[in-house]
Amino acid sequence: MPDRGWWFEEAGGVDPGPPCPPLRGDVTADVLVLGGGYTGMWTAWFLTERRPGIDVVLLEADVCGGGPSGRNGGFLTGWWDELPSMVEMFGPEGAVAACRAVGGSVRAIGEWCEAQGVDAWFTPGGYLEVAATPLHEGAWDGAVKLAADLGCADEYVPLSPGEVAARCRSAAFGPGVLMRDGATVQPARLARGLRRVLLERGVRIHEGSPALGFRGGSRPAARTPEGTATADQAVLAVNAWAARWPSFRGRLLTWGSHIVLTAPAPERLAEIGWTGGECITDSRTAVHYFRTTPDGRIAFGGGGGRASRKLGPALDFDGPSIRRAEEGLRRMFPSFADVPVERAWGGPIDVSPTHLPTFGSLAGGHVHHGFGYSGNGVAPAHLGGRILASLVLGEEDDLTALPIVNPSRVRRFPPEPVRSIGAGMVRRAVIRAERAEDRGRRVSWPIRLVATMPRRLGYHVGPERRRRTGRSRATAEERIRIEGRRVTLRPLRPEEFDAMWRSRLADDETVLPQGMPPAEQLRARIEASGVLSGHRLDLAIEVEGLLAGEIQAFDPPDRELPPDAFEVGIALYDPADRGWGLGTEAMALLVDWLFEARGATRVSSPTHETNAAMRAVLERLGFSPAGTARAGRVEFILYAIERERWLREREEPPEGPSG
């Protein structure tokens, strides 16, 4: 039995519902629905709503809501972020009509839950997209401008870093954009609620009834292990499994997406101000998506799972994908560092060439289908249910006129095995590129070329051909080799700066109002440091990819310095504590290089406490420090005598020593 995830376990504990035994024998109906996820169940709902008494049989291979519908992140979001590509494909009028239709489904699901007594934790907190690296800042500018030009400015509103922080504070977050068509649900509660209501309406649901064969034509029929269902009309609502159907071959990629779930920590959420129920994503292609639960957990997902044409365990649970999701959680929310991850699970998503779902009818008009949600299916599946009900009933309306219904041109991916091999290559390139961007590094052109290949071929998936370079917060890296080890100087990432200040809170003498929450204290100290106003520069020292030290240059408020000088602090971590394995002589060589490369002079001995390992380094450099170890860190102060040279050489890194 597959791991259906925490959502399903929680929903089943509240209301397991009556059994729906497998199909046994031969049955007939007005409408046959294959698939007990959101698309199939919403179709059945709208059919019974619009034609009371209609006879619907629904077949589900597992249990209703046991697949992606009950395992996803529970995001209900609109399509305003897709507006530029939608205008390109559908024109302004068609694009806006589709966006407004799916936005209406976000609100309608909340109204349905209230009317039907389904407690699915519906929370209309809005959808927030943030830049979690400077390289992604303004990634939404084109969509924001286009929405404004089309008279929809209120639908997609850019936010400053301060406005983002007012909704959720993270040192990793820069500016963002808010889509008001945004809410969260407990996805399995919604699915099981739909199942209950359909049973009450007389829909015949048979779980544990996989379709072993299907016949189209004027009397479509599905064969299961123990029976056959025949109907006048059929709806194929099998999502990622549609990739196996000959009629839809080449129209889908199947991709894995995985979620990690923390233990409850409501007090930590209160500290960072994330109490409004917003669903949040970053701006990556292999997107990180995260939301909260009523008991104070974070559910944090990542869309960079395995690409596979085979549906099964590989897409349900992939260890590397889960580890990357947890890494993203820890990077963005360092205050959750000691909050354990209690559960992890995954499942397949169906990715279409347009990154949007399509709905339609096969030749003859008796078999209808919907698929291709591309990771955003909770609200669009509600819209899809309305559309498919209209197609089944033969009704033409505003919904069947949408450009996602029976599109005149159907784009397909390349045939196998090129499709699967190419998807795997692009996935690996995207992961490597976005890991580099997370660290403020430049992406090599071969990796960028492969990652952007789908866009170059005209598909609306993957990163744009030209990644926005941000708004000047990222700087060039400087690389040298010492004793055969790769040493990198790069911008100190916001979450590292955040962690650095957290480690110093106990020793900080800044006077702050009594009773200020810890998160506010941290923010006040960071603001007092000058880093946010541009009066402070911070670099990280990496050895073989591990953080080994920090360099800070700033205008000290309590010292008189020449107008062309910065005060520079260098912190090297104890190799015994950090395990990065750079010996005493090599660390001395590194610091010597820093002196020479930055034009700095040694003007005073350090007064901070240090440990034996670092004492040897400082003595090698001519210092005579005293004291004992303090948190595995040593700090000493230098004066940089050429401020302009510091700034200039951060853009044009000097040659470093080798050896």
Side-chain angles (χ1 to χ4, degrees):
M1 185 177 71
D3 181 357
R4 301 187 184 110
W6 184 86
W7 301 127
F8 198 88
E9 292 176 6
E10 194 279 338
V14 175
D15 180 14
C20 292
L23 176 65
R24 293 185 174 92
D26 298 333
V27 300
T28 60
D30 296 325
V31 182
L32 168 64
V33 176
L34 296 188
Y38 290 143
T39 302
M41 289 195 288
W42 279 123
T43 301
W45 159 264
F46 284 110
L47 286 171
T48 60
E49 183 77 355
R50 292 161 63 174
R51 293 288 174 87
I54 192 170
D55 185 13
V56 179
V57 168
L58 187 151
L59 303 181
E60 164 57 38
D62 182 30
V63 295
C64 291
S69 291
R71 302 186 208 173
N72 63 82
F75 283 39
L76 285 74
T77 61
W79 286 336
W80 297 103
D81 53 332
E82 305 273 5
L83 193 57
S85 61
M86 293 177 71
V87 168
E88 177 186 336
M89 292 184 291
F90 309 142
E93 184 177 346
V96 171
C99 286
R100 292 205 182 281
V102 79
S105 283
V106 173
R107 296 181 290 276
I109 289 173
E111 295 166 358
W112 182 90
C113 288
E114 183 175 2
Q116 300 300 323
V118 174
D119 181 11
W121 302 352
F122 179 82
T123 306
Y127 163 46
L128 180 62
E129 180 183 347
V130 300
T133 169
L135 295 171
H136 295 172
E137 291 183 9
W140 46 81
D141 284 352
V144 167
K145 182 179 185 302
L146 190 53
D149 291 345
L150 295 176
C152 310
D154 292 343
E155 302 288 354
Y156 205 46
V157 180
L159 302 181
S160 68
E163 290 171 320
V164 169
R167 291 175 174 268
C168 179
R169 285 191 295 276
S170 167
F173 294 170
V177 62
L178 181 68
M179 187 186 301
R180 66 179 180 180
D181 289 343
T184 58
V185 293
Q186 206 279 38
R189 282 186 173 222
L190 177 59
R192 301 302 284 181
L194 268 166
R195 177 185 185 270
R196 171 182 64 79
V197 174
L198 291 179
L199 290 172
E200 293 171 352
R201 289 196 163 201
V203 173
R204 291 182 282 165
I205 297 176
H206 296 283
E207 297 177 329
S209 301
L212 303 181
F214 180 80
R215 182 190 71 231
S218 60
R219 289 284 290 171
R223 176 175 54 86
T224 72
E226 300 181 69
T228 301
T230 305
D232 297 325
Q233 300 277 324
V235 174
L236 306 181
V238 292
N239 295 352
W241 283 262
R244 296 176 172 178
W245 291 66
S247 299
F248 310 128
R249 189 170 291 137
R251 294 179 61 179
L252 290 176
L253 292 173
T254 50
W255 207 278
S257 185
H258 291 77
I259 295 175
V260 295
L261 182 75
T262 71
E267 71 287 350
R268 303 290 177 88
L269 294 176
E271 286 178 4
I272 62 175
W274 192 10
T275 58
E278 295 87 352
C279 52
I280 308 178
T281 70
D282 60 14
S283 298
R284 303 159 100 248
T285 298
V287 64
H288 286 134
Y289 53 94
F290 32 103
R291 48 81 58 89
T292 60
T293 63
D295 62 348
R297 304 171 188 265
I298 293 179
F300 193 103
R306 184 177 303 182
S308 174
R309 56 178 162 175
K310 295 182 179 180
L311 298 172
L315 297 182
D316 290 340
F317 193 94
D318 181 55
S321 298
I322 288 169
R323 286 193 292 274
R324 285 193 295 271
E326 183 170 359
E327 288 170 4
L329 166 71
R330 304 302 185 192
R331 184 173 71 87
M332 293 189 193
F333 299 104
S335 62
F336 272 68
D338 59 345
V339 179
V341 166
E342 290 191 341
R343 285 295 307 273
W345 66 91
I349 58 176
D350 49 339
V351 180
S352 75
T354 63
H355 210 247
L356 295 168
T358 57
F359 306 93
S361 304
L362 297 182
H366 291 271
V367 179
H368 317 278
H369 56 83
F371 51 75
Y373 294 102
S374 304
N376 175 15
V378 184
H382 177 275
L383 173 62
R386 297 175 65 195
I387 291 170
L388 289 168
S390 292
L391 293 176
V392 167
L393 298 174
E395 298 176 354
E396 296 183 1
D397 52 29
D398 291 344
L399 296 181
T400 59
L402 290 174
I404 55 175
V405 181
N406 287 316
S408 57
R409 180 173 179 265
V410 175
R411 189 70 193 271
R412 295 181 185 270
F413 289 113
E416 294 290 2
V418 175
R419 179 163 70 247
S420 294
I421 294 172
M425 291 176 61
V426 170
R427 168 189 172 269
R428 289 189 290 273
V430 166
I431 290 172
R432 291 183 63 180
E434 294 188 330
R435 276 186 167 178
E437 291 177 341
D438 286 345
R439 297 171 180 174
R441 296 176 177 175
R442 182 176 300 171
V443 179
S444 66
W445 72 264
I447 295 298
R448 174 68 66 195
L449 178 66
V450 176
T452 58
M453 189 58 67
R455 295 278 180 178
R456 296 172 185 273
L457 295 175
Y459 301 111
H460 293 274
V461 295
E464 299 287 349
R465 293 179 59 177
R466 288 185 172 273
R467 170 70 80 178
R468 184 175 292 274
T469 57
R471 297 190 177 124
S472 76
R473 288 204 301 168
T475 61
E477 292 183 5
E478 305 173 22
R479 297 185 180 90
I480 61 173
R481 297 194 72 84
I482 296 178
E483 292 186 346
R485 297 183 182 275
R486 174 172 48 89
V487 179
T488 303
L489 267 68
R490 58 161 175 78
L492 192 71
R493 293 196 288 268
E495 66 271 19
E496 294 168 340
F497 187 79
D498 180 48
M500 177 179 69
W501 274 82
R502 285 185 184 279
S503 70
R504 299 178 183 176
L505 284 180
D507 300 326
D508 200 304
E509 298 178 356
T510 305
V511 177
L512 296 172
Q514 289 186 340
M516 180 180 286
E520 293 294 339
Q521 292 183 29
L522 175 63
R523 193 72 186 170
R525 290 186 170 95
I526 291 176
E527 289 174 351
S529 74
V531 69
L532 300 180
S533 59
H535 297 299
R536 181 176 180 130
L537 302 173
D538 294 271
L539 293 176
I541 305 168
E542 275 189 1
V543 178
E544 296 295 347
L546 297 177
L547 186 64
E550 304 153 2
I551 308 172
Q552 302 93 39
F554 51 94
D555 293 321
D558 55 351
R559 287 188 179 88
E560 290 291 335
L561 287 183
D564 60 348
F566 277 136
E567 181 175 270
V568 179
I570 300 178
L572 293 174
Y573 296 112
D574 179 7
D577 291 345
R578 302 295 295 183
W580 48 274
L582 199 62
T584 296
E585 290 298 312
M587 286 191 286
L589 181 61
L590 171 62
V591 177
D592 269 339
W593 173 67
L594 292 172
F595 284 147
E596 295 169 4
R598 295 306 179 193
T601 57
R602 297 186 271 272
V603 298
S604 64
S605 296
T607 58
H608 293 296
E609 298 173 343
T610 185
N611 56 34
M614 293 309 303
R615 189 177 304 144
V617 176
L618 297 182
E619 288 173 353
R620 160 75 169 73
L621 294 170
F623 292 116
S624 299
T628 57
R630 181 173 74 89
R633 185 199 302 265
V634 62
E635 300 173 24
F636 49 98
I637 303 300
L638 310 171
Y639 290 161
I641 59 175
E642 294 184 66
R643 182 197 302 236
E644 292 303 319
R645 180 177 175 185
W646 176 284
L647 293 170
R648 182 175 67 253
E649 290 185 352
R650 294 179 83 218
E651 299 297 331
E652 301 173 6
E655 294 285 338
S658 62

